[in-house]
Amino acid sequence: MATINDIAKYAGISIATVSRALNKPELVNADTRERVMQAAKKLNYFTNDKARQFNLKTKKLSLGVIIPYITSFYFGELYSGISRVAHENNIDLLLYELKSDNMAREGLTEAFSFAQRHLVDGVILASSHMPSEYDDLIEQLQMPVVLLLDAHESAKLPAFKVDDIRASFDAVAYLVSRGHRRIGMISALQTQRQERGEQLRLRGYKQAVDFYKLPYSHSFVVYGDMRFDDGYSAMKQLLAERDETGLTAVFAASDEMAIGAMRCIHDAGLRVPDDISVIGYDNLSVSNITTPKLTTIEQPFGQIGAEGARHIVKLLTEGEQLPEKGNFYMPYKIIERESVAENSASDK
Amino acid sequence: MATINDIAKYAGISIATVSRALNKPELVNADTRERVMQAAKKLNYFTNDKARQFNLKTKKLSLGVIIPYITSFYFGELYSGISRVAHENNIDLLLYELKSDNMAREGLTEAFSFAQRHLVDGVILASSHMPSEYDDLIEQLQMPVVLLLDAHESAKLPAFKVDDIRASFDAVAYLVSRGHRRIGMISALQTQRQERGEQLRLRGYKQAVDFYKLPYSHSFVVYGDMRFDDGYSAMKQLLAERDETGLTAVFAASDEMAIGAMRCIHDAGLRVPDDISVIGYDNLSVSNITTPKLTTIEQPFGQIGAEGARHIVKLLTEGEQLPEKGNFYMPYKIIERESVAENSASDK
């Protein structure tokens, strides 16, 4: 292991100054501190913990925020939550937008290299299912990582999110409580990675179908890629099979699909909620200005961002023994608006 | 002025190495280069231009992107435009969210300090009217600055935006072309800073009223704070005065207000566009999923971001003699959907 001597030599600074910089950093000027720090890092003088404590005394902390698709509807709210906590703690945020949603290894490698190039102290990784095969990248990063909105496959990292299965179960339970039994679902497309939040929603629906012993056949579920148009065409399919299924309500895995479904119902000459009730998932700001206004599941994106940020700040500043892994489930709620009605059909 | 000797001494590196690092930076390792560079900066060895050229050879460029309210609807598209150009040019982006929209001096000072702390090479400042009294801050920053979506009061900085007056004139002209003459406006609140984009829209409306000699009284214009609810209550006022004004169409200064107005018309038992036509401004993604779908003015946010970024990249990398000030107007267009109908009223 490197000694203070090595650092002094490497940095071209006297041993006494290096010692002072390491032990009483507040007594030496910022440039010297920085040079000592860089040398110490370079020579692996520090353990990570020591380096972090040194950082805390001498410089402003930074967090990297890595997120795919900042154009997604939840980005603003999620980032605002993170930002609020960062601001309270006098921490800089450096945002990095992942170029792909599928979390290719290359994209993640570039993102981590950005984080290292800009000397961040920890990383918040949002909305990216993290398969175990990337665990080596996380390890090489050598700094705390927190996940938001999605879980870590091997559950080695703390993840802040809503329990999609339970929330979806409750969406169906809500429809049941309003007298509906013939309930369709517009689900996310199912891919190999069945653990992604969107895909878990189908599992919640099916659990509720079992639990309440609701009528069910394959015609009750159609699939779409989460957007307005997908919801529209999915609903068309559901309407085409309605003679058989007798649907009175639909649960859509996203608000966009729910709004597309409502438009499809409208275009077919039927009314929401009088003929068919619709419940969505997301509580987009849009869902409050559609006609009728959409009843939906709200995920607390701001809170998810804030709690995730608070967790990593604690890891960095207090060195607390926090649980470093597992899912932290945040509270969701059902926002009741105008798109679900009491079912008065005969077979309820 | 500092000499190579001073740098060698300061950085604790031999004169020969310093000389090599400055003249053939590609021949020395990254750490040495960085140390030489920091020392040279510290000792004011570089003029800004020299430093920039040195930077170009040795490190990845970074741009600061300063923006108020990343929750605003246009942020994602604007940032994606900037991001695309940054990616093409292998440049890092560092985002900073201004905490206030009113561009208090303090907020801007903090943002610039973030930019300097993270060693960015240029700054893109979005959606922030820049009054002349902040010119000293811009000067102290000592790096290229480009404005997006808003103009510089003293017109000393390049600004990329839509010509709000012309676009609003054209929105009204479009209604006139569909046979409307009794046209109301839901305008942004007018404050002291009359040059802000939102407020210029009222000027475009008034120019069109004059140009086409449309009926007009104070009852034709109501004001709101740009959101859904504001549009709703503004429309209520317009409907209350409709006996007098005989409105057949409304131009709203934002899509949110337009959508609020449509809901108000719906709740009053009238139909859009059969009874009253509505045109918005923004082309929110929402406006394509309302019932009816909203006809509106589209600002090319992605293109505005991309052109602004391209401009600053040129300033940084090619040292081109670009015009460093003035407004660059980007093309807008009218998106025709379902909320405007041909007017068949008698007095057209």
Side-chain angles (χ1 to χ4, degrees):
Chain A
M1 192 179 134
T3 63
I4 289 191
N5 248 323
D6 299 328
I7 295 174
K9 207 167 147 194
Y10 185 92
I13 295 173
S14 78
I15 296 176
T17 306
V18 169
S19 167
R20 211 177 317 128
L22 290 172
N23 297 305
K24 297 267 181 197
E26 58 280 15
L27 296 182
V28 304
N29 72 47
D31 289 294
T32 309
R33 265 188 338 229
E34 188 60 25
R35 280 164 68 202
V36 169
M37 161 94 160
Q38 292 301 335
K41 267 192 178 167
K42 196 75 206 169
L43 302 170
N44 293 318
Y45 174 81
F46 286 135
T47 60
N48 268 341
D49 272 359
K50 265 198 203 156
R52 211 168 284 145
Q53 282 159 28
F54 184 76
N55 267 345
L56 285 173
K57 290 191 202 165
T58 56
K59 71 156 202 169
K60 197 165 172 159
L61 285 177
S62 305
L63 292 178
V65 179
I66 300 174
I67 191 163
Y69 295 127
I70 60 155
T71 45
S72 66
F73 72 90
Y74 57 77
F75 169 78
E77 210 186 318
L78 189 77
Y79 191 83
S80 295
I82 300 170
S83 169
R84 182 159 40 80
V85 171
H87 195 248
E88 284 162 14
N89 289 277
N90 192 31
I91 288 174
D92 279 342
L93 293 181
L94 301 187
L95 177 74
Y96 185 91
E97 185 188 14
L98 271 176
K99 289 303 171 200
S100 64
D101 188 34
N102 62 12
M103 289 284 289
R105 190 177 179 88
E106 196 184 276
L108 199 60
T109 306
E110 265 183 39
F112 285 175
S113 139
F114 169 89
Q116 286 171 319
R117 188 160 59 243
H118 293 284
L119 303 172
V120 306
D121 304 284
V123 162
I124 294 175
L125 192 53
S127 191
S128 310
H129 175 68
M130 181 61 79
S132 316
E133 63 252 43
Y134 297 164
D135 285 359
D136 58 321
L137 296 179
I138 301 272
E139 251 165 63
Q140 282 161 31
L141 191 61
Q142 292 206 297
M143 57 180 82
V145 176
V146 160
L147 303 183
L148 304 184
L149 300 181
D150 234 317
H152 187 209
E153 189 175 57
S154 42
K156 283 188 193 148
L157 296 173
F160 292 77
K161 63 189 295 282
V162 154
D163 182 342
D164 287 89
I165 297 179
R166 257 194 68 191
S168 302
F169 182 100
D170 284 356
V172 178
Y174 174 79
L175 294 171
V176 170
S177 78
R178 308 300 300 271
H180 298 276
R181 292 192 55 79
R182 300 186 162 274
I183 299 170
M185 172 158 188
I186 302 177
S187 164
L189 299 171
Q190 300 290 296
T191 68
Q192 284 130 317
R193 303 220 177 272
Q194 298 288 345
E195 317 83 0
R196 300 222 51 173
E198 296 138 40
Q199 303 187 341
L200 295 175
R201 294 169 198 169
L202 180 59
R203 239 188 272 170
Y205 164 83
K206 285 193 172 154
Q207 287 185 7
V209 164
D210 285 350
F211 184 83
Y212 292 108
K213 302 190 182 8
L214 304 179
Y216 179 78
S217 75
H218 284 301
S219 313
F220 278 79
V221 180
V222 285
Y223 301 86
D225 202 11
M226 306 303 273
R227 314 310 297 261
F228 178 82
D229 290 340
D230 304 306
Y232 192 98
S233 50
M235 192 67 222
K236 227 175 188 166
Q237 268 182 269
L238 287 177
L239 289 179
E241 312 253 23
R242 203 176 170 220
D243 283 347
E244 181 210 322
T245 57
L247 283 192
T248 64
V250 173
F251 166 45
S254 74
D255 275 6
E256 276 208 40
M257 291 203 296
I259 294 167
M262 289 205 296
R263 178 69 192 245
C264 177
I265 294 168
H266 172 90
D267 289 355
L270 298 166
R271 286 158 310 159
V272 178
D274 311 64
D275 298 310
I276 298 180
S277 289
V278 175
I279 186 168
Y281 196 111
D282 286 333
N283 196 26
L284 297 195
S285 58
V286 194
S287 59
N288 195 29
I289 63 180
T290 50
T291 304
K293 296 179 181 177
L294 183 67
T295 292
T296 188
I297 301 284
E298 181 186 60
Q299 300 189 67
F301 293 110
Q303 192 183 349
I304 288 171
E307 288 298 321
R310 222 166 262 139
H311 191 84
I312 204 165
V313 168
K314 273 190 196 156
L315 286 172
L316 285 171
T317 58
E318 301 173 18
E320 267 184 41
Q321 287 308 308
L322 293 172
E324 290 224 4
K325 50 188 182 177
N327 292 329
F328 296 78
Y329 287 128
M330 301 280 118
Y332 54 87
K333 59 181 178 215
I334 295 177
I335 308 291
E336 294 190 74
R337 295 203 184 95
E338 306 167 344
S339 64
V340 174
E342 200 73 34
N343 178 34
S344 51
S346 53
D347 78 333
K348 68 184 246 183
Chain B
M1 192 180 132
T3 63
I4 290 191
N5 246 324
D6 299 329
I7 296 174
K9 206 166 150 196
Y10 184 93
I13 295 173
S14 78
I15 296 177
T17 305
V18 170
S19 169
R20 209 175 319 127
L22 289 173
N23 298 305
K24 296 268 181 198
E26 60 280 14
L27 296 182
V28 304
N29 73 47
D31 288 296
T32 308
R33 261 187 342 227
E34 188 61 24
R35 281 165 67 203
V36 169
M37 160 95 160
Q38 291 301 335
K41 266 192 180 168
K42 197 75 203 168
L43 302 171
N44 294 317
Y45 174 81
F46 285 136
T47 59
N48 268 342
D49 272 359
K50 264 198 202 156
R52 209 169 285 146
Q53 283 159 27
F54 184 76
N55 268 344
L56 286 172
K57 290 191 199 161
T58 55
K59 73 155 204 171
K60 205 167 166 159
L61 285 177
S62 304
L63 292 177
V65 180
I66 301 174
I67 192 163
Y69 295 126
I70 60 156
T71 45
S72 65
F73 71 92
Y74 58 77
F75 169 77
E77 209 186 318
L78 189 77
Y79 191 84
S80 295
I82 300 170
S83 170
R84 182 159 40 80
V85 171
H87 195 248
E88 285 163 14
N89 289 277
N90 192 31
I91 289 174
D92 279 342
L93 292 182
L94 302 187
L95 177 73
Y96 184 91
E97 186 189 11
L98 271 176
K99 289 303 172 198
S100 64
D101 189 33
N102 63 11
M103 289 285 287
R105 189 177 180 89
E106 197 185 274
L108 198 60
T109 306
E110 265 185 39
F112 285 175
S113 139
F114 170 89
Q116 286 171 320
R117 186 159 63 243
H118 292 285
L119 302 172
V120 306
D121 304 285
V123 163
I124 295 174
L125 191 53
S127 192
S128 311
H129 176 68
M130 181 62 80
S132 316
E133 62 253 44
Y134 297 164
D135 285 358
D136 60 321
L137 296 178
I138 301 273
E139 248 165 64
Q140 281 161 31
L141 192 61
Q142 292 206 300
M143 58 179 80
V145 175
V146 161
L147 303 184
L148 304 183
L149 299 181
D150 234 319
H152 187 210
E153 190 175 53
S154 42
K156 282 189 193 146
L157 296 172
F160 292 77
K161 64 191 291 284
V162 154
D163 182 341
D164 287 87
I165 297 179
R166 256 195 68 191
S168 301
F169 182 99
D170 284 354
V172 178
Y174 174 79
L175 294 172
V176 170
S177 79
R178 307 301 300 270
H180 297 276
R181 292 192 53 80
R182 300 185 162 274
I183 300 171
M185 172 159 189
I186 302 177
S187 164
L189 300 171
Q190 301 290 296
T191 67
Q192 284 130 319
R193 301 219 179 274
Q194 297 289 345
E195 317 82 1
R196 299 223 52 173
E198 297 138 39
Q199 304 188 339
L200 295 176
R201 292 169 201 171
L202 179 60
R203 239 188 272 170
Y205 164 81
K206 283 192 174 157
Q207 287 185 4
V209 164
D210 286 348
F211 185 83
Y212 291 108
K213 302 191 178 14
L214 305 179
Y216 179 77
S217 75
H218 283 301
S219 313
F220 278 78
V221 180
V222 285
Y223 300 87
D225 202 11
M226 306 303 275
R227 313 310 296 260
F228 178 83
D229 290 339
D230 304 306
Y232 192 99
S233 50
M235 192 67 223
K236 228 175 188 167
Q237 268 182 270
L238 287 177
L239 289 179
E241 312 252 24
R242 202 176 171 221
D243 283 347
E244 182 210 322
T245 58
L247 284 191
T248 63
V250 173
F251 166 45
S254 75
D255 276 5
E256 274 208 41
M257 291 203 295
I259 294 166
M262 290 204 295
R263 178 68 192 247
C264 177
I265 294 167
H266 171 90
D267 288 357
L270 298 168
R271 286 158 310 160
V272 177
D274 312 62
D275 298 310
I276 299 181
S277 289
V278 175
I279 186 167
Y281 197 111
D282 287 333
N283 196 26
L284 297 194
S285 58
V286 194
S287 58
N288 195 30
I289 63 182
T290 51
T291 303
K293 297 181 180 174
L294 183 67
T295 292
T296 188
I297 301 285
E298 181 185 60
Q299 301 188 66
F301 293 110
Q303 192 183 349
I304 288 171
E307 288 298 321
R310 221 165 264 140
H311 191 84
I312 205 165
V313 168
K314 272 191 196 155
L315 286 173
L316 284 171
T317 59
E318 300 174 19
E320 268 184 41
Q321 288 309 308
L322 292 173
E324 291 224 3
K325 50 188 181 176
N327 291 330
F328 295 78
Y329 286 128
M330 301 280 117
Y332 54 88
K333 59 183 176 210
I334 294 176
I335 309 290
E336 294 191 74
R337 296 202 185 93
E338 305 166 344
S339 64
V340 174
E342 199 74 34
N343 178 34
S344 50
S346 53
D347 78 335
K348 70 184 244 185

